[in-house]
Amino acid sequence: MALGFPCWGRDLIWGLLWSRGSLTGCYTRQCSPNSVLPYRTYRAFSVGFHRKPGFLYRIPYGAGAPLWTPHLPLFPQPEGVRVSVNVLSDQNDRPVLFVVRQKEAVVSFQVPLILRGLYQRKYAYQEVSRTLCQPQTKAEVETQHFYVDVSTLSLNTSYQLRVTRVENFVLQTNERFSFNATAAQPQYFKYEFPEEVDSVIVKVTSAMAFPCSVISIQDILCPVYDLDNNVAFIGMYQTMTKKAAITVQKKDFPSHSFYVVVVVKTEDEACGGALPYYPLSKDASPDQPNRQKTLEVMVSPAITSEAYVRSVLFCLGIFLSFYILTLLIACWERPSCPTGHSRSIPDSFMNHGPYDSYGYGSFGEGSADGLGLAAGERSLENVAGRPRLDSLSSVEEDDYDTLADIDYDKNVIRTKQYLCVADLARKDKRVLRKKYQIYFWNIATIAVFYALPVIQLVITYQTVVNVTGNQDICYYNFLCAHPLGNLSAFNNILSNLGYVLLGLLFLLIILQREINYNRALLRNDAHALECGIPKHFGLFYAMGTALMMEGLLSACYHVCPNYTNFQFDTSFMYMIAGLCMLKLYQKRHPDINASAYSAYACLALVIFFSVVGVVFGKGNTAFWIVFSVIHIVATLLLSTQLYYMGRWKLDSGILRRILHVLYTDCVRQCSGPMYVDRMVLLVMGNIINWSLAAYGLIVRPNDFASYLLAIGICNLLLYFAFYIIMKLRSGERIKLIPLLCIISTSVVWGFALFFFFQGLSTWQKTPAESREHNRDCILLDFFDDHDIWHFLSSIAMFGSFLVLLTLDDDLDCVQRDKIYVF
């Protein structure tokens, strides 16, 4: 007795795997209830390929099926073979299983093909196409066969099977090729390295952003992972909307060839798209529109090793030239102060009398009655024999006020209407020197503890990228990312060399100035003791160290730039902006400048808000309200501190004192501000900061780190402009070197910001969307726009530091009781 079962036939199809002609084979088959094979007696059939494209073969199923095997000519060029299946029957509960058996691989798939998306969503595809793997062959001409097994439990199923040759299966160098792909019809192509090429860049582009796709580079191995659910198993891969680029090195592929695999994803969520509508019915499928994508691929040679050497030499040449230029300027400049040189501040300055007549802000107006220092009473000869007070003997920082308070009360001195530098430079130089040296030692300690874990972390990131092949982890400019060793984007790291070299040069300049100043003190030089802005170099050392650390941490960030390590690139930018403001304020307020502990604590708070803002601030109304309130309150507190020169207290009686001042100055009598210049600066500062707070609250910019940095830079520029204007108004002048530094630095900053805002990548979007901003290299075929930003910004920061260093060189021969405080 013969046992039968419905259509449990295995359609055994054999053919030539590497066809050498324009071959197309097509086979249509229908299983019906009458097509029942006796158990163990069913017969397989064979189908060959005909050279005429599109010719359809209908072959009856069952015993005695005719066999037809054509003669196939052989050609030396290997090509790919593609198997396409279309199930004409709509029976999703009983799919048809296709198994393609090759010499070194087995590929199986069912139709309808079920692919899963996010939250285990299922997507069914009736038309499936797969390119067969091309195993390695040792012989120049080799005939290989493959077999297709078809099986199903369905009682009535119709399907169409087509075998075609893949056009342009082997990609050519610098030649574009267009093709289509869907989620169930992936494509892949082969590329073979030419003898003279060591690395290539694979560029894939598309006019349409969606559907989302994945580009993968895989070794010539079977099987090829070309479905959405397994494309990440091997090789390098990245998601794509409109652009994708992967640099491939010959040394990573022993066969000197690789596959370029293109897979269309079932959903667009990975590329920033919206999820499709998911029906409530259990048996229904999600709404899947036509997800076919047209793409274009091109493989072009990458740069050679000579380009690496040329770029490194270029980078070193640019920044080492600053060392030579600095040496030439140092040899050319010979500052000298004529004996007895003195400069008086104009009597008509600010429409008030000379400085020998002071008014006091909290104690009434009029003469100081002997408490003031007459402008002409001192002479440098009287101080030439004074002993030096620059010893670094152990002095507690809290003791710095005791010496000066014997003669004058701080409230009397600091609340005068018009101050000179001598009024705010009365503390022991030993203590102030130690106080400002703490800035350097603190930032050096911070740098060590900050940099070591950062370096460990980015090495781990780079290792993960290299091991997993997931290039979505790092947000490079993939169109200009040149690998070196284990580093994926060496050019972005090399371009940060300028921060380190110029920061070191600035430290050497400060060291030379400090040596010259100490030598002058050893000679009891009168000008060093009593003239010019008080020389404190601790903040300058901290600025130079911060510039070097900015270069190091920016290089670490660009090892693998992403959402989780952005603060590496911005932390020392905040510190540089804060230190510059502190140094500018210290110039004329050396006694009352902030201590290193409080300054770094405030900067740490800024960095904390930067991290919180990036993590939680996007679209979070509550965060922006809280931050704006804190921003405004901090602005008011700082304004009060600056206006009253620190002579106020934040305690329980602050509200009572505020009401008293408002009553006496606004209600009882309407009087103008006592310190007009300071009031103008602080009003402008409050307007700018309140405007920035309102902008943040209304617009809520996505890049919170840059927004916070913009707040610091705006305040720094405002204070610097105020300083320049007040310096010129007080009758002082700007020497040639600082003037040239100001002009050239402003120009360089303008060009630097232009390249900064090009936006070659952004971790605020998905990796695929970020790659839409990628651009080709623009300098030496090695550096991109962001690298040029690194070059120019390092030069601009160095120039800005030189401006702060040399801005008041014209006062080196002016006594401190004749230098105006603003």
Side-chain angles (χ1 to χ4, degrees):
M1 176 178 174
L3 299 176
F5 52 93
C7 220
W8 185 256
R10 293 201 314 164
D11 299 349
L12 182 60
I13 304 172
W14 68 272
L16 284 176
L17 176 56
W18 310 131
S19 53
R20 266 70 169 180
S22 178
L23 305 178
T24 300
C26 190
Y27 169 69
T28 300
R29 165 76 201 288
Q30 180 174 2
C31 290
S32 64
N34 296 326
S35 301
V36 179
L37 291 180
Y39 183 69
R40 293 181 180 175
T41 63
Y42 65 90
R43 182 175 298 179
F45 62 90
S46 301
V47 174
F49 301 110
H50 195 276
R51 295 186 61 189
K52 184 177 180 181
F55 193 84
L56 183 64
Y57 300 96
R58 293 182 180 275
I59 298 181
Y61 179 83
L67 301 178
W68 186 82
T69 305
H71 174 69
L72 299 175
L74 301 179
F75 295 93
Q77 176 62 42
E79 299 289 353
V81 174
R82 191 167 178 85
V83 176
S84 302
V85 175
N86 182 15
V87 174
L88 306 178
S89 304
D90 187 11
Q91 295 185 9
N92 294 338
D93 55 339
R94 294 185 179 183
V96 181
L97 179 63
F98 295 84
V99 180
V100 182
R101 293 183 288 116
Q102 303 173 231
K103 179 180 178 181
E104 298 181 4
V106 175
V107 178
S108 64
F109 55 89
Q110 71 174 41
V111 182
L113 179 64
I114 303 299
L115 296 177
R116 294 189 178 273
L118 198 63
Y119 310 119
Q120 296 300 310
R121 298 173 180 231
K122 294 192 297 184
Y123 300 91
Y125 298 90
Q126 297 293 128
E127 298 183 17
V128 180
S129 296
R130 303 290 294 276
T131 302
L132 301 186
C133 181
Q134 184 190 61
Q136 295 291 338
T137 60
K138 296 181 179 179
E140 294 184 0
V141 178
E142 181 179 348
T143 300
Q144 298 181 10
H145 299 80
F146 71 92
Y147 303 86
V148 179
D149 300 337
V150 183
S151 59
T152 182
L153 290 177
S154 176
L155 297 176
N156 189 4
T157 299
S158 297
Y159 64 88
Q160 185 181 75
L161 186 148
R162 179 184 297 269
V163 180
T164 57
R165 183 178 69 114
V166 179
E167 297 290 341
N168 298 310
F169 180 72
V170 178
L171 299 174
Q172 303 300 316
T173 306
N174 289 327
E175 291 186 7
R176 299 180 180 272
F177 175 66
S178 298
F179 60 94
N180 296 325
T182 67
Q185 298 173 345
Q187 298 269 16
Y188 66 85
F189 306 92
K190 182 179 180 181
Y191 180 79
E192 298 176 347
F193 281 96
E195 290 295 332
E196 68 280 2
V197 176
D198 293 326
S199 64
V200 296
I201 179 169
V202 180
K203 301 178 184 178
V204 183
T205 57
S206 177
M208 57 181 71
F210 299 106
C212 179
S213 56
V214 178
I215 311 303
S216 175
I217 303 297
Q218 301 180 20
D219 202 355
I220 306 297
L221 297 173
C222 295
V224 177
Y225 297 94
D226 59 349
L227 290 178
D228 185 23
N229 56 8
N230 63 16
V231 69
F233 287 178
I234 192 173
M236 300 178 291
Y237 64 93
Q238 56 183 234
T239 54
M240 170 192 167
T241 51
K242 292 184 177 181
K243 289 182 182 180
I246 301 179
T247 300
V248 186
Q249 301 183 79
K250 183 190 290 186
K251 66 180 180 64
D252 296 331
F253 296 91
S255 63
H256 294 173
S257 58
F258 58 87
Y259 285 139
V260 179
V261 184
V262 180
V263 178
V264 175
K265 295 182 70 67
T266 57
E267 296 173 342
D268 297 330
E269 189 269 343
C271 295
L275 288 173
Y277 168 72
Y278 197 77
L280 299 178
S281 175
K282 180 179 179 181
D283 298 328
S285 297
D287 180 23
Q288 276 287 81
N290 182 22
R291 292 185 63 80
Q292 179 173 284
K293 188 167 187 174
T294 301
L295 304 104
E296 186 178 72
V297 60
M298 185 181 71
V299 183
S300 56
I303 62 173
T304 62
S305 57
E306 289 77 10
Y308 282 83
V309 176
R310 182 172 61 250
S311 301
V312 171
L313 294 178
F314 169 80
C315 192
L316 289 174
I318 285 182
F319 297 113
L320 291 180
S321 64
F322 281 88
Y323 283 76
I324 299 174
L325 181 62
T326 302
L327 182 61
L328 294 176
I329 293 177
C331 295
W332 169 71
E333 187 182 24
R334 287 287 183 270
S336 59
C337 292
T339 304
H341 175 79
S342 180
R343 179 187 63 82
S344 300
I345 296 178
D347 294 348
S348 59
F349 176 67
M350 296 291 292
N351 297 322
H352 59 76
Y355 273 27
D356 57 348
S357 178
Y358 293 109
Y360 295 87
S362 302
F363 299 85
E365 299 179 357
S367 173
D369 295 331
L371 292 177
L373 297 176
E377 290 179 358
R378 292 188 182 181
S379 64
L380 298 181
E381 289 76 7
N382 295 332
V383 300
R386 296 182 183 179
R388 287 188 302 112
L389 295 176
D390 62 334
S391 173
L392 285 179
S393 60
S394 177
V395 182
E396 292 295 332
E397 199 171 328
D398 294 333
D399 296 337
Y400 60 77
D401 285 333
T402 58
L403 183 63
D405 289 347
I406 297 175
D407 299 323
Y408 302 107
D409 182 73
K410 286 186 293 185
N411 289 320
V412 175
I413 296 297
R414 297 184 191 176
T415 55
K416 290 191 295 186
Q417 187 172 5
Y418 304 109
L419 288 169
C420 61
V421 170
D423 295 327
L424 297 180
R426 302 163 59 239
K427 297 176 182 176
D428 194 335
K429 287 181 292 184
R430 296 173 299 173
V431 180
L432 286 181
R433 182 177 180 181
K434 184 177 180 181
K435 172 184 177 180
Y436 291 122
Q437 278 184 336
I438 296 176
Y439 273 97
F440 168 69
W441 291 114
N442 278 8
I443 201 170
T445 305
I446 292 171
V448 172
F449 282 94
Y450 200 105
L452 290 179
V454 166
I455 294 173
Q456 288 180 306
L457 181 62
V458 297
I459 290 176
T460 302
Y461 271 123
Q462 186 65 72
T463 303
V464 171
V465 172
N466 296 339
V467 172
T468 64
N470 183 5
Q471 298 204 353
D472 282 354
I473 296 176
C474 306
Y475 288 71
Y476 303 117
N477 175 18
F478 287 90
L479 291 176
C480 187
H482 304 297
L484 180 65
N486 291 327
L487 299 174
S488 299
F490 174 70
N491 55 304
N492 294 149
I493 299 172
L494 176 64
S495 59
N496 288 282
L497 184 62
Y499 297 105
V500 179
L501 292 180
L502 294 182
L504 178 61
L505 176 59
F506 185 73
L507 290 179
L508 295 176
I509 294 174
I510 298 303
L511 179 61
Q512 179 62 30
R513 284 215 167 197
E514 185 177 23
I515 291 174
N516 293 337
Y517 178 69
N518 289 335
R519 288 174 178 173
L521 292 179
L522 288 173
R523 299 191 306 266
N524 284 328
D525 185 274
H527 294 99
L529 290 169
E530 294 291 328
C531 294
I533 299 296
K535 303 294 189 297
H536 301 293
F537 301 97
L539 269 170
F540 281 131
Y541 282 118
M543 290 163 56
T545 305
L547 184 58
M548 295 179 65
M549 286 305 302
E550 171 59 29
L552 176 61
L553 292 180
S554 179
C556 290
Y557 167 75
H558 284 91
V559 169
C560 183
N562 59 55
Y563 169 81
T564 59
N565 61 5
F566 71 94
Q567 68 271 19
F568 302 163
D569 192 33
T570 56
S571 296
F572 275 83
M573 290 185 183
Y574 301 133
M575 288 195 173
I576 289 173
L579 291 173
C580 288
M581 281 190 282
L582 287 170
K583 184 58 193 178
L584 200 58
Y585 186 77
Q586 182 210 50
K587 281 178 171 290
R588 313 222 175 195
H589 309 80
D591 285 1
I592 60 174
N593 203 20
S595 67
Y597 307 115
S598 58
Y600 287 130
C602 292
L603 292 174
L605 191 62
V606 171
I607 296 174
F608 169 79
F609 275 109
S610 173
V611 175
V612 173
V614 171
V615 176
F616 303 106
K618 192 173 182 179
N620 192 333
T621 304
F623 167 80
W624 281 101
I625 292 175
V626 172
F627 176 77
S628 299
V629 171
I630 293 176
H631 183 191
I632 292 174
V633 171
T635 301
L636 292 175
L637 293 177
L638 183 61
S639 300
T640 305
Q641 176 75 14
L642 295 177
Y643 186 77
Y644 289 107
M645 296 284 186
R647 306 315 302 157
W648 70 288
K649 292 182 180 181
L650 183 61
D651 53 21
S652 58
I654 185 66
L655 294 179
R656 178 180 54 82
R657 293 194 295 272
I658 291 175
L659 294 176
H660 177 73
V661 171
L662 291 176
Y663 174 75
T664 55
D665 291 351
C666 301
V667 177
R668 189 174 181 180
Q669 62 177 5
C670 186
S671 59
M674 182 65 65
Y675 316 111
V676 180
D677 299 330
R678 273 180 261 170
M679 179 61 70
V680 171
L681 169 65
L682 295 175
V683 168
M684 293 178 62
N686 276 267
I687 291 175
I688 291 177
N689 281 277
W690 285 50
S691 301
L692 290 171
Y695 172 81
L697 186 60
I698 296 172
V699 179
R700 301 173 197 170
N702 292 329
D703 191 354
F704 182 80
S706 297
Y707 167 76
L708 197 59
L709 185 61
I711 293 176
I713 292 176
C714 287
N715 283 276
L716 175 60
L717 292 177
L718 172 65
Y719 188 33
F720 183 75
F722 172 81
Y723 192 95
I724 295 292
I725 293 173
M726 293 303 299
K727 180 179 178 66
L728 296 177
R729 288 188 61 196
S730 62
E732 301 171 9
R733 63 187 181 89
I734 300 176
K735 299 180 73 173
L736 178 61
I737 290 181
L739 181 61
L740 293 177
C741 288
I742 292 174
I743 296 174
S744 58
T745 300
S746 301
V747 173
V748 174
W749 269 123
F751 284 104
L753 291 175
F754 170 78
F755 287 102
F756 175 77
F757 287 113
Q758 294 304 305
L760 302 181
S761 62
T762 172
W763 43 259
Q764 298 170 17
K765 299 180 180 180
T766 63
E769 292 175 309
S770 172
R771 277 185 279 273
E772 294 182 15
H773 304 280
N774 289 178
R775 296 183 186 176
D776 293 322
C777 304
I778 61 174
L779 179 62
L780 301 177
D781 291 328
F782 193 84
F783 299 110
D784 60 15
D785 298 73
H786 197 74
D787 294 324
I788 297 179
W789 149 256
H790 288 159
F791 291 145
L792 297 180
S793 63
S794 61
I795 295 173
M797 286 186 186
F798 176 71
S800 301
F801 289 0
L802 290 182
V803 171
L804 290 177
L805 179 64
T806 62
L807 184 59
D808 290 316
D809 283 355
D810 61 301
L811 302 177
D812 286 345
C813 303
V814 180
Q815 290 179 250
R816 290 171 190 161
D817 54 1
K818 300 177 182 178
I819 302 175
Y820 186 62
V821 171
F822 39 78

